[in-house]
Amino acid sequence: MKKILEKEIQNLFASCKRYTWRVSALAILLGTLGSCKKDLLDITSNTQVPEDKMWTTDNYTDLGVNGVYQALRFGYTTGGTNNRELYQYDRLSNTLIPRGGDVLLNATANTSTSLFADVWKELYESVHRANDAIYGINNISPSAPEKKARLLAEVKFLRAFYYYRLNQLYRGVPIYDAPIKYNEATKPRNTEKEVWDFIIKDLTDCIAEANLPTKFPAGDKNFGRISKSAAYALRGKVYMYLQDWDKAISDFQAVKDAGHQLFPNYKALFTAANEKSDEMIFSIQNIALDNYGSTMQFYFGSRSAFGSNWDTYMVSPDFVDLYENKDGSKFNWDDVIPGYSAMAPEKREIYFVRNNVEKVANDNKKPAKYNDLVSKGLDFGLYLNNGNEERLKKAYDNRDPRLNANVILPYSTFVGMNGSADQTFTSRWPHVEQLGNVFDLRTDMESQFFYIPRKFVYEGGKPPIPSRVAGDIDYPVIRYADVLLLWAEALNEKGQTAPAVDKVNEVRSRAGVGLLNSSVATTVKDKADLTSRIRNERRRELFGEGVIYFDELRWKSWKDQVFNGNAGNKQPWGAIVDKYTYLGDQLLTWPIPEVERQRNTSLTQNTGW
C-alpha cells in the first residue's frame, strides 16, 4: 500500500516544475497530516500531472498544504541522530547531555559547520513550501472559498513558525514572501526586528481569519491542524522577544480564553492516550509507522527498552539537582550525605555503587566489575555493603514528582522488554546483566553510568510499536504550561508579582510540589528572585521538549547555565566524561552558513564569526 501511494505521489510531482522547492512524495501523505493523522488520502490517478495542473483540484490542494505541515519533520533520521529534531536541541541546554560532545559545546564550531547550513536549508525549504502554497491557493486552487481561507491561515502560521525558528537562531534573515526559483534567492538580510514584524503580520492574519477554528476540542479528529489559539500562543512568544509585555500578556490570555488548560497528570500527559488533551496547543503528529513516528524512545531509551535502543542523550546531573524537594525547598546533597559537596567529584562514585558489589560481581563471573572500582582508589570505608543503595535513594525520595517522571534515577525501576515479554529492570551501578530474578537496566555504555531520560520513552511492549523509530506519541511544540510560565515572566517584568506567582503556582500545583509563598523556602523575595524561579520552573517543566536552549539564548543566560564551573558531559556524581569549552559570545547567535554566503554574496555575517 505504502509503495503504491509513493508511486502515485511521485507521479503527481514528477513534472511540476513551477516551484523550485517541491513537496516530497510519500512524506506528504504520511508525515504530519493536516487532518486526522491516521487517515490516508485516496490517490487514484496513474498519470503525471503537468505543471499547470498543480493545485488545480481540491485533492491536490490538500496534498500541497500537507507538504507544508510535513516540513515540520525535517531533520528526522533513523540511522543515527543528526541533532536537528526539535527535542534534540535540549542537548545544548543544561538538561540533556549529548553523548560524545557537540561542536557548540567543545569550541569547534565555525561558519562551515554542517549544522548551521543544514538548519538554514531545511527552514528555508519550509518557508518556500509555504510561499508556493499561498500562491497556489490564492491563484489556482478551485477549493471552496471558506476552505481556501482556512488553508491560507494554516499555511501563514506555518510560514511564521519557520521564520520564527530562523530568527531565533540567526537574528535577521532575508524575507521571501512569494515563490522564487533557486537562483533568485539573492536578497540581503532583513533586520531581526523586520523579521519579527513579518511574523506578527502572518500570525495576525491567521487570527483574523473567521474560517479558522479557535481551538479543536480534545480528541477531535482534526487535532494537529493549526488553530487561532496556536497563532495567539506563537505571537505571544514573538512579543516576548520584543519585550512587549502587554501584548504578550494579552495573547496568552486569549489562549486561556480559547479553552486551554493543564492536563491533571504530568507524567500521563506525554502518552498517546492524552496527546490530544486541552493542554496541547500545537504539536507535531506521529503515527506508528516506520519513518513517520517519533524517534525519542530510540535515542532516549536504554537497551532494556525494545532491546536495542541507543543512549544518544543522557540527563545532566546539574539538571537533576535543580529539582527541588517536594515541599519546595532546594535540594542539597549534603543533607543526605554530609560532606558530599566538598569531595572531589570522581571520589563521590562510591556512594552510587550497588549493594554487595564484590559478591555480585564474583557470583556473575565478572570480578572486573568490582576490581575496576578498587583500582579507581574509591574509599570503601564510606561504602555500606548492605545499605549503599538505600542511602542513595534518599537523595531522590520526596523530590518534585516531575524528576522521577522525567528521569530514570539510580535504583529506580523501568518496565522494558525481555524478548517479547515485559520485564522490570533496575538502574544499578555497575551493571552486571541478570541477577537471579532481578534484572539490571542495560545501556550501550556499560563502562559508564548516567541518568537517562524516562519522559516520552515507551514502557513495556503494549500496545505493540512497529519499531523503535515509530512511536505514535505526538510531539508537543507549544503547550499550555509553556504559555503559563511565559505569561508569568511577562507579568513579573511589569512588576506584577502576585499574578505572576499565581501562574507559576498553577504549574507547580499540577506537579505536586510546594507552591510559591507557601513556606519560608518558597517565599519570593523580589523581582530578581521570581525571575530565577520562573526560569528554573521552565527548565524542570519543559524538559526534553526543545524549548530550553532557545530560552537560554533569549535570556542571554546560556553561557552561565551550560559552561559555568565543572561543565561537561558527566556522570551522576559529577565526574567529567567530555569537558565543555566556551568558544565565545558569538555562539549566542548562529553564523550565516558560509555556503549560503558563497551562493548569495549580499548576506552579511554575524558579529564574531
Side-chain angles (χ1 to χ4, degrees), residues 240-441:
M240 294 298 289
Y241 276 90
L242 294 171
Q243 299 186 2
D244 194 333
W245 313 122
D246 287 324
K247 289 182 179 178
I249 290 167
S250 176
D251 277 352
F252 298 146
Q253 179 68 57
V255 173
K256 178 180 180 180
D257 293 345
H260 288 285
Q261 58 185 336
L262 295 178
F263 185 76
N265 185 305
Y266 178 84
K267 183 177 181 180
L269 173 63
F270 307 103
T271 62
N274 300 311
E275 63 188 6
K276 291 181 171 60
S277 74
D278 285 331
E279 181 160 351
M280 297 303 181
I281 299 170
F282 173 39
S283 54
I284 295 175
Q285 308 295 285
N286 289 308
I287 56 177
L289 183 67
D290 278 1
N291 298 313
Y292 299 98
S294 166
T295 64
M296 294 191 74
Q297 70 278 354
F298 181 19
Y299 298 127
F300 274 12
S302 71
R303 285 190 177 271
S304 298
F306 298 98
S308 59
N309 288 350
W310 296 353
D311 299 286
T312 306
Y313 302 107
M314 294 78 70
V315 182
S316 165
D318 297 331
F319 172 66
V320 170
D321 293 351
L322 189 64
Y323 280 93
E324 300 165 332
N325 296 315
K326 195 170 184 180
D327 63 5
S329 60
K330 289 185 177 181
F331 170 74
N332 188 334
W333 273 103
D334 293 330
D335 293 337
V336 181
I337 304 173
Y340 180 92
S341 299
M343 295 178 66
E346 61 273 13
K347 297 301 181 183
R348 300 173 191 153
E349 181 179 355
I350 192 64
Y351 294 114
F352 289 78
V353 175
R354 65 192 302 153
N355 289 349
N356 302 301
V357 63
E358 183 176 14
K359 182 177 187 304
V360 168
N362 289 330
D363 287 351
N364 283 270
K365 296 182 173 56
K366 294 186 177 180
K369 296 282 187 176
Y370 171 72
N371 294 335
D372 287 346
L373 298 174
V374 175
S375 67
K376 293 178 183 179
L378 299 182
D379 184 357
F380 272 82
L382 302 174
Y383 176 71
L384 303 177
N385 196 53
N386 293 304
N388 223 45
E389 297 177 17
E390 291 75 13
R391 176 175 57 186
L392 183 67
K393 287 173 68 176
K394 291 179 181 179
Y396 309 112
D397 291 341
N398 205 35
R399 298 279 290 278
D400 181 336
R402 289 173 296 188
L403 174 57
N404 189 60
N406 288 337
V407 184
I408 297 176
L409 302 163
Y411 305 101
S412 66
T413 59
F414 173 82
V415 179
M417 295 184 68
N418 183 12
S420 60
D422 289 1
Q423 178 67 58
T424 298
F425 297 86
T426 301
S427 178
R428 291 188 173 92
W429 177 248
H431 171 275
V432 292
E433 298 286 353
Q434 182 179 347
L435 177 63
N437 291 322
V438 178
F439 290 76
D440 288 351
L441 185 68

Side-chain angles (χ1 to χ4, degrees), residues 3-241:
K3 289 187 179 298
I4 294 173
L5 292 169
E6 182 176 12
K7 176 69 174 177
E8 296 296 345
I9 302 177
Q10 285 174 341
N11 287 339
L12 173 64
F13 288 98
S15 62
C16 180
K17 300 178 181 177
R18 177 188 300 273
Y19 310 117
T20 301
W21 289 271
R22 299 180 190 171
V23 180
S24 62
L26 184 61
I28 298 173
L29 191 60
L30 300 177
T32 306
L33 295 182
S35 57
C36 178
K37 66 176 181 177
K38 305 287 194 296
D39 290 340
L40 299 182
L41 299 175
D42 180 23
I43 304 295
T44 57
S45 172
N46 287 312
T47 61
Q48 292 186 349
V49 181
E51 66 176 275
D52 61 348
K53 298 297 183 182
M54 184 58 192
W55 303 99
T56 57
T57 71
D58 191 58
N59 194 38
Y60 296 160
T61 300
D62 286 333
L63 283 173
V65 171
N66 285 344
V68 186
Y69 275 93
Q70 185 271 339
L72 292 166
R73 298 183 66 84
F74 280 161
Y76 173 94
T77 180
T78 61
T81 178
N82 59 23
N83 293 325
R84 300 199 302 276
E85 290 187 68
L86 181 57
Y87 72 89
Q88 295 169 4
Y89 283 95
D90 263 28
R91 78 191 187 280
L92 302 174
S93 69
N94 68 338
T95 56
L96 289 179
I97 49 178
R99 181 175 180 175
D102 188 276
V103 293
L104 290 177
L105 302 174
N106 60 19
T108 59
N110 57 58
T111 59
S112 296
T113 296
S114 61
L115 175 67
F116 305 136
D118 290 339
V119 170
W120 176 285
K121 180 179 69 176
E122 290 170 352
L123 287 171
Y124 265 111
E125 179 170 343
S126 304
V127 165
H128 292 304
R129 286 190 183 191
N131 287 339
D132 290 349
I134 291 170
Y135 176 88
I137 295 168
N138 273 326
N139 297 284
I140 304 173
S141 173
S143 298
E146 295 81 5
K147 177 177 179 178
K148 289 170 64 174
R150 173 177 59 80
L151 293 179
L152 280 171
E154 293 180 22
V155 171
K156 282 192 173 184
F157 172 94
L158 292 168
R159 181 171 69 178
F161 179 75
Y162 300 135
Y163 270 122
Y164 172 74
R165 184 67 79 223
L166 280 164
N167 218 30
Q168 282 182 304
L169 294 171
Y170 302 98
R171 299 302 177 97
V173 296
I175 295 175
Y176 296 94
D177 61 358
I180 61 170
K181 295 178 181 178
Y182 179 81
N183 60 0
E184 294 174 342
T186 58
K187 286 187 176 183
R189 296 172 65 184
N190 289 83
T191 66
E192 180 183 354
K193 176 64 163 55
E194 288 171 339
V195 179
W196 291 134
D197 289 344
F198 181 81
I199 294 169
I200 288 171
K201 183 181 183 303
D202 264 356
L203 294 172
T204 301
D205 289 347
C206 187
I207 290 166
E209 177 49 59
N211 292 287
L212 186 71
T214 299
K215 172 186 175 291
F216 292 105
D220 188 272
K221 71 175 184 178
N222 287 310
F223 209 94
R225 298 197 80 103
I226 302 306
S227 64
K228 287 186 181 181
S229 63
Y232 276 119
L234 184 56
R235 192 174 69 174
K237 283 175 170 272
V238 173
Y239 285 135
M240 294 298 289
Y241 276 90

